[in-house]
Amino acid sequence: MLQFKPDPKELNFERRGFLLLGAAAGGGLLLGCSPIDPRERGQWPAPASPSAGAEGSTQNIALNAWLRIAPDGRVTVTLPRSEMGQGVHTALAMLVAEELEAAWDQVGVEPAPPGRVYANTVLLQAVLPFQPDDESWIVRTARWGLAHSSVMLSLNVTGGSTSVRAAWEPMRWAGASAREVLRATAAREWKVSVQECMAADGTVTHAASGRRLSYGELASRWQRDPITPPSSLALKPAGQWKLIGTSPRRLDAPDKARGMAAFGSDLALPGMKRAVLRTCPYLGGRLVKVDADAALKLPGVRAVHEFPDWPVPAVAVVADHTSQALRAAQALQVQWDPGLNTGLSSEAQGQSMKQMLGEESGTRFRNLGDAAGQLGSAPKTLEAEYEVPNLAHAVMEPLNATARFDAGRLELWTGTQSPILARWRASQIADISIDDVTLHIPYLGGGFGRRLETDVVEQVTHLALKMPGTAVHLMWTREQDLQHDVYRPAAVARLRAALQPERRELTALHIKVAAPSVSDATFRRLFPPALTDSLPATPDKTQIEGAFDLPYALPHQLVEQVLCPSVLPVGYWRSVGHSYNAFFTECFLDEVVQALGQDPLEQRLRWLEGKPRHQAVLRAVATAWAEPAKPGRGKGLALHESFGSICAQVAEVSLQDGRPRVHRVVCALDAGTVVHPDTVRAQLESAIVFGLSATLWGEVPVEDGRVQVRSWAEYPVVKMAEMPAIETVIVPSTQPPGGVGEPGTPPVAPAVVNALARLEGTRRRRLPLMPRKA
C-alpha cells in the first residue's frame, strides 16, 4: 500500500499558490528563479521522516530523496507516480537501478512523500501552444517557467504520458550520485583511490586486493560518516546500459498474477463501514426530499445522509456491508427536480456546435501562409465535416475511496492520479491543514484521466466527518461511474482543402474545430469559485492539439478553435484532443490523397520531407501497407504525433453482415529511448483496444437531460472474440523518451475509417461506426 505523509516544510495551497498554478495552466507564467538542474534534483536529500510501507522500515538508509538501501543490500526506489497498469513502477525503478548498478532482484519500490523534489516538471508544458519541434527561446523560457511552477506547487501528478519523461534525468542522476557515494565510501574504507573501486550488482569490489563490500554494508558506513557526492558526476553512455532497453520482470507482476495486489476496492480496515450513493439522474437537477424510514429499518444500516449541495446531489447510505448499503439505497424514497436541462440531448448539442462552427470566427492557433487566398483561387476545393460524440472513461475499477477522521487529522485511501489535489481538496472540506491529511495510494484499476478528479475523495471526506473515528469506504456503482463521469467532449470539425489537380498537389488546408474546453472545465471544477469566477475563458491548446500542430509540410494552413459550452461535465480522456483531431485530420487528408489519385503512404512521405523520424515510422508499416489485402477486406493508414512520440498504424477491415470487423492492426511507434520494451508493446496494445472500442461503439447519449448509459451492455468494449491481431514495431531511436500510454490511441479511428472508405467506396465521417440506434 502506498502512503503519503505530509512534509511540514511544503508549500501550502493558499490562494496565491492556485493563482500561480492557474496562470501556468494557461501557458502564461514565467518565474524569475534559477534553472532547475536535473542533476541537483537527483541529489536532493530525503524528507526528514521516511515513509512507511512497501519495502519500508526506518532502517533503510536514504542516500538521497530517490532511494534507500537496507542493511541486507535491498534497494528501495522512491516513486512519485501512481501505478495504474502502465508499468511506471518498474520503468522508474529501472532508471535508478541502471545508474546505481544494483541487481534487479534486489530492487523494490516505495511511495514518495509530498515534496517539491518529486514534482512532475513536464506535465504543465502540455498546455503550451507551440509546434512540437519549436526550440525557440520563447518556448524554452515558457517550459522553464512551467517547470518551476510545478516544483513550487509540489505538483505530483500522473498523466499526460509524462512519467518517464519527467523522471528520465533526475532519477538517473539519483542512481549515479548514490553509486559514486558508495564507491567513495569503499575507497575511504580500503584507503585506495575511487578509480580502483568498481560497482556492479549491488557490490563494490577492489580487483587488486579481491576485497568487496555490499551496498548494505557501505550504506551503513556512509551513514556513520557521510560523504558528499562528487561534483564530476556523469551518466553512463547508452552503450553501457544493462537494464534500460531490456524487459526485466515487472515489479507489480507477481502480486497481480497471484491476485494479491491491493486496489482501493480491496481495502478492509477494522470496524470499517461501507457507503453507497443514490445520485441525481438529471444533469443540473436537485434533491427535493428523501424518505429514509424503510432504509433505516434494514439490517446493518447505520445512517442515511443527504447532500443536496454536492455538484451531483446525492443521498448516502452507510452500513456494515456493501450489499446492505445497496439494498437500503434502493429502499430510499427520493424525489428529484429535473432542473432546467430537461430538453438537453446529444443531438441538440451537436446542432449547437455546428451552428457555432459556422457563426464563430474562432481563435487562430496556426496561420501559415495565405490559406484563405489559396482556397479562394484554387481550381478545385474539397470540404467535409466530421463529428465525434461524448465518451466515458469506463475504468475497470469503479471509483472508490476510504476516509477516517479522528482528532483533527484525516487519513485517506484511494487510487488517484493527483495526490496533491486530493489532499488539498480533502483538507478544505475538513477545514484542516493539508499537513494533517495522510494519503495512501493503492494500485489503480485504470485511470485514463478519470482519477485526476477529486469527486470521490470529496464525497468520502464529507462522510468521514459525520462519523469521527470510523473508517468509511465509499464505492460507486458501475451505473454511477458511467452516468456521472467527466466525459471526453463531443466535437465537430469542418475541413477545407485547396487542390491543384494538374500538379496533383494540396496547396492549402483550413481546419476549424468546435468543442468544449476540457482545461477550463477541469480548472473551474477543481479550484475554488473565488479564484475561477474571476477568470475569463481562454484559448485551450488541448482542444485543438493534433490539428494545429500537424507534422506535414503544407505551405498554407489556417487552424481555428471554437470553444463551446457544455452542460455535460468534460475532462481529460486518454490522449485528450488528439483523440478526435487525429480522426478529423487523418481522414480528411486521406480524402485529399484519394482526390489527387496518390498513394496514401507515398504522399505522406512527400509531405514529411525533412522529418526523418516521421518517415521512419511510416516506413516501419510500409510492408503491411503494401501487402495485398485479403478478399473482402480493405486497408487504411494513419500517422499521428502526440505526447512526444510518433505513431503510424495500418488497419485491415471487413464488413460482416454490414458491420465493421477489424482483423489486424500493425502499429509502429517512435517513442525515443525505450526503457522497458515489453511494457511499451503492452501499452500500444492497450491503447489500440481503447481506441477501437471508442471507434466502433463509444458514445454517451443524452436525452431529456439524462445520460442514457448504465452498464457495459450499453457501453461495450472490444471482447476477446472481437480482438484484431496486433503487431507492434518499436522504431529504434536515440532521442530522450517520449510518451507511451496515449500515442497509440489517436491513429486507431482514422486507420479503421480509411480502410472502410477503400472497402465501401464511401466515406464515414461520424463516430461511432455502430451507434446504439443503428
Side-chain angles (χ1 to χ4, degrees):
M1 178 76 68
L2 302 188
Q3 179 184 13
F4 285 131
K5 289 190 173 179
D7 180 352
K9 297 188 292 296
E10 285 306 305
L11 178 71
N12 283 331
F13 269 59
E14 304 291 346
R15 175 180 167 83
R16 170 182 260 181
F18 278 117
L19 282 169
L20 290 173
L21 178 58
L29 177 67
L30 299 178
L31 297 176
C33 43
S34 59
I36 298 174
D37 186 344
R39 182 185 312 206
E40 292 181 5
R41 283 186 69 205
Q43 298 179 55
W44 282 7
S49 60
S51 59
E55 313 291 342
S57 80
T58 55
Q59 295 179 337
N60 286 1
I61 298 164
L63 275 71
N64 52 52
W66 303 90
L67 68 98
R68 306 177 191 277
I69 298 179
D72 63 0
R74 294 242 350 135
V75 176
T76 302
V77 179
T78 304
L79 297 180
R81 304 291 173 261
S82 301
E83 177 62 69
M84 45 191 170
Q86 83 278 39
V88 69
H89 279 186
T90 299
L92 299 193
M94 287 173 66
L95 301 181
V96 171
E98 178 66 72
E99 292 292 338
L100 182 61
E101 296 285 2
W104 186 245
D105 61 1
Q106 291 293 301
V107 174
V109 297
E110 70 177 2
R116 295 181 184 177
V117 65
Y118 304 117
N120 186 332
T121 56
V122 176
L123 183 73
L124 288 183
Q125 296 177 25
V127 308
L128 296 174
F130 302 118
Q131 298 298 309
D133 56 356
D134 190 343
E135 292 297 331
S136 65
W137 72 269
I138 294 177
V139 175
R140 294 196 304 272
T141 304
R143 289 174 183 162
W144 171 71
L146 290 173
H148 275 291
S149 303
S150 302
V151 173
M152 287 182 64
L153 296 169
S154 305
L155 197 65
N156 180 6
V157 176
T158 305
S161 295
T162 58
S163 293
V164 172
R165 287 190 284 165
W168 175 242
E169 291 197 39
M171 294 193 77
R172 287 192 297 147
W173 282 117
S177 171
R179 179 193 69 223
E180 293 308 305
V181 160
L182 295 172
R183 289 179 65 209
T185 301
R188 182 180 64 186
E189 183 76 16
W190 296 328
K191 297 180 173 56
V192 298
S193 70
V194 174
Q195 289 72 25
E196 297 177 64
C197 302
M198 304 303 295
D201 294 329
T203 62
V204 176
T205 59
H206 183 245
S209 64
R211 288 174 290 185
R212 68 174 51 228
L213 286 169
S214 72
Y215 280 2
E217 295 171 305
L218 288 168
S220 298
R221 298 179 192 197
W222 174 85
Q223 187 181 40
R224 291 194 294 269
D225 188 6
I227 294 176
T228 302
S231 59
S232 57
L233 277 177
L235 297 175
K236 294 162 62 175
Q240 295 180 14
W241 288 342
K242 300 173 184 175
L243 277 174
I244 294 175
T246 69
S247 299
R249 171 185 55 83
R250 277 181 53 158
L251 298 179
D252 57 338
D255 281 351
K256 288 181 177 178
R258 295 194 295 262
M260 298 172 61
F263 294 84
S265 52
D266 297 320
L267 186 66
L269 299 173
M272 185 172 76
K273 302 304 177 185
R274 307 281 180 166
V276 299
L277 303 176
R278 278 282 297 276
T279 48
C280 182
Y282 300 98
L283 294 167
R286 67 183 185 90
L287 177 62
V288 177
K289 65 178 180 179
V290 181
D291 182 349
D293 289 347
L296 288 168
K297 294 175 182 177
L298 293 173
V301 176
R302 301 299 175 183
V304 173
H305 300 293
E306 299 177 29
F307 297 101
D309 298 325
W310 281 1
V312 178
V315 183
V317 176
V318 182
D320 294 335
H321 303 288
T322 300
S323 59
Q324 295 171 332
L326 286 168
R327 283 194 295 270
Q330 293 304 310
L332 294 171
Q333 300 297 314
V334 185
Q335 182 180 340
W336 307 105
D337 179 354
L340 302 177
N341 296 312
T342 52
L344 182 69
S345 70
S346 301
E347 194 65 30
Q349 180 190 28
Q351 291 302 319
S352 174
M353 289 195 297
K354 291 177 183 178
Q355 183 176 350
M356 292 186 69
L357 195 65
E359 295 176 354
E360 300 287 338
S361 59
T363 301
R364 292 186 174 185
F365 263 75
R366 192 171 201 188
N367 189 13
L368 182 65
D370 181 17
Q374 291 289 319
L375 283 161
S377 62
K380 181 178 180 181
T381 60
L382 187 66
E383 181 172 336
E385 196 171 275
Y386 283 82
E387 185 176 356
V388 297
N390 300 298
L391 294 174
H393 292 84
V395 294
M396 184 67 73
E397 178 193 23
L399 295 187
N400 66 91
T402 301
R404 178 169 55 206
F405 183 75
D406 195 17
R409 298 186 64 86
L410 182 68
E411 196 167 9
L412 290 168
W413 293 259
T414 192
T416 177
Q417 295 176 243
S418 53
I420 188 68
L421 288 178
R423 291 176 59 234
W424 179 79
R425 291 293 288 160
S427 72
Q428 296 299 297
I429 291 168
D431 195 22
I432 58 177
S433 166
I434 190 174
D435 298 333
D436 293 325
V437 179
T438 299
L439 173 62
H440 308 264
I441 303 182
Y443 288 126
L444 284 63
F448 314 126
R450 181 60 179 94
R451 285 186 159 96
L452 290 168
E453 301 289 328
T454 60
D455 42 4
V456 70
V457 169
E458 298 170 34
Q459 292 169 346
V460 79
T461 300
H462 280 290
L463 289 170
L465 293 175
K466 292 183 176 295
M467 304 181 69
T470 299
V472 182
H473 175 84
L474 172 63
M475 173 74 83
W476 282 27
T477 64
R478 175 61 59 192
E479 180 176 358
Q480 289 163 347
D481 185 65
L482 290 170
Q483 293 195 332
H484 300 293
D485 201 348
V486 289
Y487 303 93
R488 199 288 304 270
V492 177
R494 188 169 297 149
L495 304 97
R496 300 171 64 210
L499 308 181
Q500 294 289 341
E502 299 83 2
R503 302 199 305 266
R504 302 173 77 185
E505 289 181 0
L506 165 65
T507 58
L509 180 65
H510 180 199
I511 303 171
K512 194 173 184 181
V513 179
S517 170
V518 165
S519 297
D520 184 73
T522 302
F523 186 70
R524 294 178 187 278
R525 191 164 51 243
L526 294 181
F527 300 112
L531 169 62
T532 59
D533 287 351
S534 61
L535 296 178
T538 58
D540 181 7
K541 177 259 186 182
T542 63
Q543 188 257 27
I544 200 72
E545 61 189 2
F548 87 98
D549 48 0
L550 294 176
Y552 303 120
L554 306 175
H556 304 280
Q557 296 183 51
L558 175 60
V559 182
E560 298 175 297
Q561 170 186 90
V562 176
L563 296 179
C564 307
S566 176
V567 175
L568 202 66
V570 296
Y572 293 104
W573 188 89
R574 191 176 193 171
S575 74
V576 202
H578 293 282
S579 67
Y580 50 81
N581 284 318
F583 170 63
F584 299 156
T585 58
E586 282 296 289
C587 285
F588 184 69
L589 289 173
D590 204 64
E591 291 194 61
V592 169
V593 169
Q594 285 186 300
L596 294 174
Q598 302 280 28
D599 177 81
L601 187 139
E602 294 300 327
Q603 182 60 62
R604 282 175 172 83
L605 288 173
R606 285 190 287 271
W607 285 335
L608 292 168
E609 285 294 331
K611 297 285 185 79
R613 292 183 67 187
H614 296 76
Q615 290 182 325
V617 173
L618 265 181
R619 290 190 175 107
V621 299
T623 300
W625 174 253
E627 294 170 351
K630 293 183 178 180
R633 297 185 184 182
K635 285 187 178 181
L637 172 70
L639 172 90
H640 195 74
E641 180 177 3
S642 62
F643 306 96
S645 296
I646 307 155
C647 187
Q649 293 178 15
V650 172
E652 189 169 331
V653 181
S654 72
L655 289 170
Q656 296 183 355
D657 298 324
R659 300 167 67 84
R661 171 65 194 273
V662 181
H663 299 274
R664 180 189 183 207
V665 177
V666 178
C667 176
L669 179 75
D670 179 347
T673 299
V674 169
V675 176
H676 192 287
D678 279 358
T679 293
V680 173
R681 295 186 186 95
Q683 282 294 286
L684 286 175
E685 293 166 358
S686 163
I688 289 168
V689 171
F690 196 85
L692 185 56
S693 298
T695 300
L696 296 176
W697 305 291
E699 63 174 333
V700 178
V702 176
E703 292 291 341
D704 301 322
R706 299 180 63 160
V707 172
Q708 299 297 305
V709 292
R710 295 170 295 178
S711 67
W712 290 119
E714 296 168 319
Y715 198 82
V717 296
V718 174
K719 302 177 181 64
M720 291 292 288
E722 298 152 342
M723 269 293 295
I726 297 177
E727 303 166 31
T728 57
V729 180
I730 299 175
V731 179
S733 177
T734 59
Q735 296 297 312
V740 169
E742 293 169 277
T745 293
V748 177
V752 170
V753 172
N754 290 342
L756 284 171
R758 281 170 177 75
L759 181 65
E760 297 179 295
T762 58
R763 176 67 60 170
R764 304 195 190 199
R765 299 189 181 96
R766 182 173 182 173
L767 296 180
L769 298 174
M770 294 184 280
R772 296 176 68 199
K773 294 180 180 179

